[in-house]
Amino acid sequence: MTPVPRPTAELSADEARRIALRAQGFLGAPDRRAGVRGVLRHLGAVQLDTISVLARSHELIPYARLGAVGRRVVEDAYWTEGHSFEYWSHAACILPVEEWPHFAFRRRAYRARPQWHHDLPDAAYETVVKQLRAEGPLTATALGGANNGGEWWDWSASKVAIERALMYGEVVCTERRSWKRVYDLAERAIPDDLLHDELDDTECLRRLVRLAGQALGVGTRADIADYHRLKGEQFDAVVADSGLVPVTVEGWSKPAWADPQALVSEPRGRHRTTLLSPFDSLIWERARTERIFGLTHRLEAYVPKPKRVYGYFAMPLLSGGQLLGRVDPAREGTTLVARQVSLHGAKSVAPMAQALREAAQWVGCDSVRIERVDRPELTADLVRAVS
């Protein structure tokens, strides 16, 4: 690991927490004029996921920061007028189109990959590219079928080919339609001035480390590298020239770096009270979430039901700059059901009720039903507060 330079600032744990909240768009007045596209540019990546409870995660991200943005408005902001594309970042993410050149390092790595889990029949790759060229944007189904009718990963040859073309950068995912990727040729979907792989790996990595540092405000090596799923040694190679500055944070056992602009002024303004998607970039990294907010959080959707502690899609409650509990929601008709609520004492009741009411209204529900509260003595108070 590269030696860490002398820190330029010492931050208290509280200062680091507020810097992180401001950097992620949860402290201060939201930029409503920039809207959903502004949120995307500010964060640099919005994670996609198949799970939809209240809404899909990429809808919950701007909702948490801007409030009740129309869900059609969210989709149009992402997928119209060529403002974004989907690619592999932290996971499958929506990315601002201007960042296309900076993922050249990852496209090159995929092209140089020595082996793949799926064999690709002769001419399958060329066939799907030729079909896109002739017919325009298409889903995998329209290209010949997404799978062979077997297990989840039993992909058809055309699906394997189109996903490989996506990784290589010859093809772009320009939208999700009924949750299916819509593919188009990169030469049509990416503006000419951005459609290149001219930046070397060092320049790409330097840019992504700087962007991650800006989006996080302050973070450790692991925090910043994890944002775009970079390796630790990739971070080490470029951090000195990234523009981030070394800092120390009270209670953090490892070195940290900060966006210098985040240190210029004290974070002030209104805190959001909202429910967070488990895939929100504020809480992507478990160790960071525990270090900053004192909350151990994990997604339990893939945990066997009898072993779940907080529920299938437990959404943390953010209020006053703290994580004050979580709720596992569901929808039954026009009722938002809080299947399991976990509260950090009586102080969590009012903000949880507010967050549940606002979320219900956003998704078109007219009532909230509380099923189970981990602090039974607070159940009646929460029921009254959401009524």
Side-chain angles (χ1 to χ4, degrees), residues 39-261:
V39 170
L40 176 61
R41 287 193 302 272
H42 188 77
L43 298 179
V46 168
Q47 186 174 346
L48 291 155
D49 193 79
T50 58
I51 298 173
S52 180
V53 179
L54 287 183
R56 293 200 189 275
S57 187
H58 66 284
E59 299 173 283
L60 292 167
I61 303 307
Y63 164 74
R65 290 155 177 82
L66 301 174
V69 183
R71 296 174 69 183
R72 185 69 256 169
V73 171
V74 173
E75 294 294 336
D76 287 347
Y78 287 138
W79 302 126
T80 61
E81 301 176 356
H83 284 271
S84 64
F85 68 104
E86 178 186 336
Y87 198 60
W88 296 102
S89 167
H90 182 82
C93 288
I94 303 171
L95 303 168
V97 72
E98 55 266 30
E99 300 309 325
W100 173 270
H102 303 106
F103 282 85
F105 83 102
R106 188 154 286 163
R107 294 191 289 271
R108 283 191 288 265
Y110 282 133
R111 292 177 202 136
R113 194 169 175 171
Q115 57 83 28
W116 294 86
H117 295 298
H118 296 282
D119 292 329
L120 192 60
D122 291 343
Y125 187 99
E126 292 77 10
T127 297
V128 295
V129 172
K130 183 178 179 180
Q131 189 175 349
L132 282 180
R133 191 176 303 282
E135 300 180 29
L138 296 169
T139 64
T141 301
L143 284 164
N147 59 56
N148 293 318
E151 296 296 325
W152 185 34
W153 290 106
D154 185 22
W155 283 356
S156 69
S158 60
K159 175 65 172 176
V160 174
I162 198 64
E163 287 295 323
R164 199 163 299 181
L166 178 75
M167 292 176 176
Y168 290 173
E170 189 166 0
V171 160
V172 178
C173 175
T174 56
E175 69 171 298
R176 290 276 185 146
R177 191 178 300 159
S178 300
W179 198 242
K180 295 179 180 179
R181 281 178 174 154
V182 178
Y183 306 90
D184 198 4
L185 298 179
E187 64 196 53
R188 285 198 296 243
I190 304 298
D192 291 344
D193 60 332
L194 299 173
L195 185 62
H196 63 81
D197 283 356
E198 296 170 5
L199 304 183
D200 63 24
D201 285 11
T202 298
E203 192 166 353
C204 292
L205 294 169
R206 187 186 301 119
R207 165 72 172 177
L208 293 180
V209 166
R210 175 60 186 257
L211 286 176
Q214 290 174 340
L216 292 172
V218 59
T220 65
R221 174 184 190 247
D223 297 343
I224 297 169
D226 180 70
Y227 203 83
H228 290 294
R229 289 284 199 256
L230 305 180
K231 297 176 182 178
E233 54 267 29
Q234 291 175 317
F235 171 89
D236 294 340
V238 300
V239 65
D241 299 319
S242 69
L244 303 182
V245 296
V247 296
T248 59
V249 180
E250 174 194 9
W252 292 21
S253 62
K254 295 182 179 179
W257 286 261
D259 171 18
Q261 288 301 309

